[in-house]
Amino acid sequence: MKIKNNSSVSGSVSLLNSLVEEGVDTIFGYPGGAIMPVFDALYDYKRLLRHILVRHEQGAIHAAQGYARASGKVGVALVTSGPGATNTITGIADAMIDSAPLIVIAGQVTSALLGTDAFQEVDIVGISQPVTKWSYQIRKAENIAWAVAQAFYIAASGRPGPVVLDFPKDAQLAMTNHYYEKCKSIRSYIPVPKTEKESVINAADLINAAEKPFALIGQGVELGNAEQEAIAFIEKAQIPAAWTLLGASVLPSEHPLNKGMLGMHGNLAPNLKTNECDVLIAVGMRFDDRVTGDLRSYAKQAKVIHFDIDPAEVGKNVDATVAVLGNVKETLPAVTALLKKANHDDWIDSFDIVNHEEYEKVIVKEIYPDESHITMGEVVRRISEITNNEALIVTDVGQNQMMGARYSKCKLPRSFITSGGLGTMGFGLPAAIGAKTGAPNRIVCLFCGDGGIQMNIQELGTIMQNNIKIKIIILNNKYLGMVRQWQEMFHNKRYSETPMLNPDYVKLAEAYRIKGQKVSKREDLDRAIQAMMAHNGAYLLEVEVEKKGMVLPMTPAGMCVTNVILEK
């Protein structure tokens, strides 16, 4: 029921029509008293707006994140006031630090009751302001269309992020003359900073003079839809590249210049070569502490070029010799045009020599183990191979996350979704639901641990009700694995509150009408994976893996990136 501009409608209808005008096709939500008029209006919008009923508001926000990151669109969550709104805060904070474009619409008590501690009243604007790009309370129906237009522009432009719209019930019910016009600019808000021509020239000059250039590829490339521009950039000057956790699928895994993952559990060569390169080129990444380790010893020998859309990130952690501000979709080609073709074969070969050491000491033991137990890495690698490395991988947080990043391979962009900056356990299951909704034609495989899966396991009900055909792989080691690893390495093997007594996950899946099976022997693994992939529907595969497996290499927190532990 799309309406025309200048129609007299309720605030609720104005809201939904505004969403339609912005191209929204899916909403993740949960109804309640303070948002009921909107849900009532939604009854007439079923042909235009698909609403996916989650089982918890945190599930709604993570699903909206998965949708946004898989589709490149803005994710939308619709919840009620009070606890409905506060249940989204973890997801909003997660989206803020990982730059996911979201709109969260929260019901609110009527304007007359604001500030009276009314039933299910909470100051969601005040609570959410530190973890949003913008929070706004819509008190008048005539402001709805304007607020929605502003919200979408702010959420999606520049460095993306979440926006909260607080929507009192009287504004939902009041009549208004609906008029929708998309927002194209906001005074004093500059989403994309001006790119200085001098910085482009200086960056190109540094790269052309470099003998050992090294590129660090982050999620900003994906957010800017600049994957092809990044490939053209590194290929022209023959620059080896590594990627951050959120930049995992920017470069095809098999690209010859792709040298692996950065960071605490990244590949050996990228970490060591960070402190050997003469020009370090950061592209759409923010020098997170899990990447840099001890800043006092991080890349001190190198001149640093930082490409970023957010000026606040430049110099925040690592000083930049040259800052190239702007959208990498435009700045990368500008620099590439000035680059000279180069030959850095010896430098590139040095990465391969170091990575071979890691392969022999770590990787081969993980994906081709001699022991009787199944390892996480071999499960991830087999599933990646069986899906022709074309699956969209979602992970929860912990050892499963690091193994998912290390041992899955990617052919296509937007193929790896995880909670990076906040590290939110419970992210995986709802995010996979959102990812499959945003990319319905792709195989979506979720890797999770026996701890994280239980944090939002109620979303199996969402899968059941909406027939979301995702593949859930529980890597069950009967521990909170990453915490246990730290306890083993740094706390004298004092396993305080990390052993897990778990339910029968297959029976639990069956209770939600989801097919599943459990595997504990290696000889059954491939057959089980094939059965999961052949099944036309959601599937839960529980794999009993090594109880005390380790994610290696590992650079201990706060240590220099070269202080890498390869063997336990």
Side-chain angles (χ1 to χ4, degrees):
M1 190 190 75
K2 187 175 179 180
I3 60 174
K4 296 180 180 180
N5 277 337
N6 296 314
S7 300
S8 180
V9 296
S10 70
S12 296
V13 171
S14 181
L15 172 78
L16 296 177
N17 206 71
S18 298
L19 296 179
V20 171
E21 291 283 357
E22 286 289 346
V24 175
D25 54 24
T26 304
I27 300 171
F28 302 91
Y30 202 96
I35 198 66
M36 204 173 296
V38 174
F39 275 88
D40 180 69
L42 188 61
Y43 192 86
D44 295 322
Y45 273 78
K46 290 182 178 180
R47 292 184 179 179
L48 298 174
L49 293 170
R50 180 188 184 189
H51 179 269
I52 294 181
L53 177 66
V54 297
R55 298 305 188 261
H56 190 282
E57 291 87 358
Q58 186 178 356
I61 196 77
H62 291 324
Q65 288 175 270
Y67 174 90
R69 289 169 62 179
S71 68
K73 300 178 182 179
V74 177
V76 179
L78 181 64
V79 300
T80 193
S81 65
T86 58
N87 281 344
T88 67
I89 293 298
T90 296
I92 292 170
D94 193 293
M96 185 67 177
I97 199 166
D98 282 356
S99 303
L102 300 181
I103 308 292
V104 182
I105 302 161
Q108 183 57 279
V109 300
T110 60
S111 300
L113 292 175
L114 289 172
T116 68
D117 292 331
F119 177 67
Q120 293 192 333
E121 179 197 2
V122 71
D123 180 9
I124 194 62
V125 170
I127 291 171
S128 65
Q129 276 181 337
V131 290
T132 53
K133 287 186 73 176
W134 186 50
S135 293
Y136 179 76
Q137 188 174 75
I138 309 172
R139 292 202 182 190
K140 296 182 179 180
E142 56 263 34
N143 292 336
I144 293 168
W146 169 85
V148 171
Q150 297 267 119
F152 272 84
Y153 179 69
I154 291 170
S157 60
R159 181 179 180 175
V163 169
V164 167
L165 295 178
D166 190 33
F167 200 9
K169 196 170 184 178
D170 51 319
Q172 300 171 40
L173 293 167
M175 300 300 290
T176 185
N177 186 45
H178 174 81
Y179 183 86
Y180 196 81
E181 183 177 3
K182 288 189 177 184
C183 179
K184 297 180 180 178
S185 66
I186 298 172
R187 190 174 67 177
S188 79
Y189 171 53
I190 304 172
V192 182
K194 181 182 177 182
T195 303
E196 299 293 340
K197 185 176 180 180
E198 184 179 3
S199 70
V200 172
I201 294 171
N202 291 341
D205 287 345
L206 280 180
I207 296 168
N208 285 331
E211 295 182 1
K212 297 180 178 180
F214 183 26
L216 315 182
I217 306 297
Q219 190 197 16
V221 177
E222 179 180 277
L223 294 171
N225 297 308
E227 291 89 350
Q228 292 306 311
E229 287 78 4
I231 292 170
F233 170 75
I234 63 173
E235 286 181 344
K236 185 171 183 182
Q238 206 186 17
I239 303 169
W243 36 271
T244 66
L245 180 65
L246 294 185
S249 60
V250 170
L251 303 176
S253 298
E254 299 300 329
H255 193 286
L257 291 171
N258 184 345
K259 299 305 173 186
M261 184 169 76
L262 296 159
M264 176 177 282
H265 293 290
N267 295 108
L268 181 60
N271 284 329
L272 297 186
K273 296 301 177 180
T274 296
N275 277 13
E276 293 180 25
C277 66
D278 56 2
V279 175
L280 189 68
I281 309 156
V283 188
M285 55 87 73
R286 58 187 180 85
F287 289 110
D288 174 75
D289 65 289
R290 284 297 193 261
V291 165
T292 65
D294 184 3
L295 287 168
R296 294 171 298 179
S297 58
Y298 183 78
K300 293 303 180 183
Q301 80 294 338
K303 294 179 180 178
V304 177
I305 301 169
H306 196 167
F307 289 80
D308 213 291
I309 201 168
D310 185 355
E313 291 298 342
V314 176
K316 185 176 78 174
N317 295 323
V318 174
D319 291 333
T321 310
V322 176
V324 185
L325 297 177
N327 191 325
V328 290
K329 185 81 171 175
E330 299 170 357
T331 58
L332 277 175
V335 173
T336 302
L338 301 179
L339 295 182
K340 299 174 183 177
K341 290 189 176 182
N343 185 326
H344 296 124
D345 287 346
D346 290 344
W347 170 235
I348 291 167
D349 289 345
S350 72
F351 280 79
D352 298 334
I353 292 168
V354 175
N355 273 339
H356 182 72
E357 179 186 359
E358 179 188 347
Y359 181 84
E360 292 296 325
K361 291 183 177 180
V362 178
I363 295 174
V364 72
K365 296 176 183 178
E366 184 67 35
I367 60 176
Y368 305 117
D370 294 328
E371 296 88 348
S372 59
H373 55 253
I374 302 172
T375 67
M376 290 189 183
E378 69 174 308
V379 178
V380 172
R381 179 58 59 88
R382 287 300 296 134
I383 289 174
S384 186
E385 290 170 346
I386 287 171
T387 59
N388 197 30
N389 301 326
E390 294 179 347
L392 194 166
I393 303 298
V394 182
T395 81
D396 207 88
V397 169
Q399 288 184 318
N400 64 89
Q401 177 186 38
M402 294 298 104
M403 292 299 193
R406 285 182 54 82
Y407 295 107
S408 61
K409 292 189 175 183
C410 301
K411 281 186 179 179
L412 305 172
R414 295 188 181 271
S415 288
F416 191 84
I417 296 174
T418 194
S419 171
L422 200 62
T424 305
M425 289 179 69
F427 171 89
L429 184 58
I433 291 170
K436 182 64 176 177
T437 307
N441 295 323
R442 297 194 64 182
I443 297 170
V444 174
C445 294
L446 165 66
F447 292 106
C448 48
D450 47 307
I453 185 66
Q454 295 187 67
M455 287 198 169
N456 274 312
I457 202 165
Q458 75 284 341
E459 298 309 324
L460 292 175
T462 304
I463 293 171
M464 175 179 66
Q465 183 162 341
N466 295 277
N467 191 27
I468 310 291
K469 299 178 181 180
I470 64 173
K471 311 303 180 183
I472 305 163
I473 303 96
I474 300 177
L475 302 172
N476 187 354
N477 58 9
K478 299 181 174 63
Y479 274 97
L480 295 175
M482 190 60 85
V483 183
R484 183 213 55 78
Q485 177 170 332
W486 282 52
Q487 288 172 336
E488 180 166 331
M489 296 179 73
F490 309 118
H491 295 275
N492 200 29
K493 298 184 179 180
R494 290 158 58 88
Y495 302 128
S496 177
E497 300 305 318
T498 48
M500 298 282 288
L501 180 63
N502 295 312
D504 185 326
Y505 291 110
V506 174
K507 286 185 178 179
L508 192 58
E510 289 173 354
Y512 284 98
R513 303 172 198 168
I514 296 170
K515 190 172 179 60
Q517 68 171 307
K518 182 176 181 177
V519 173
S520 57
K521 296 179 180 180
R522 177 170 290 106
E523 56 264 31
D524 297 329
L525 181 60
D526 267 24
R527 192 181 312 112
I529 294 172
Q530 296 284 5
M532 175 176 69
M533 293 304 171
H535 180 66
N536 184 25
Y539 198 101
L540 186 147
L541 176 62
E542 178 187 356
V543 184
E544 285 194 343
V545 296
E546 179 184 6
K547 280 189 174 183
K548 294 186 179 180
M550 306 282 274
V551 184
L552 296 171
M554 180 179 184
T555 303
M559 299 290 282
C560 175
V561 289
T562 60
N563 290 1
V564 182
I565 299 171
L566 274 181
E567 298 175 294
K568 60 181 178 180

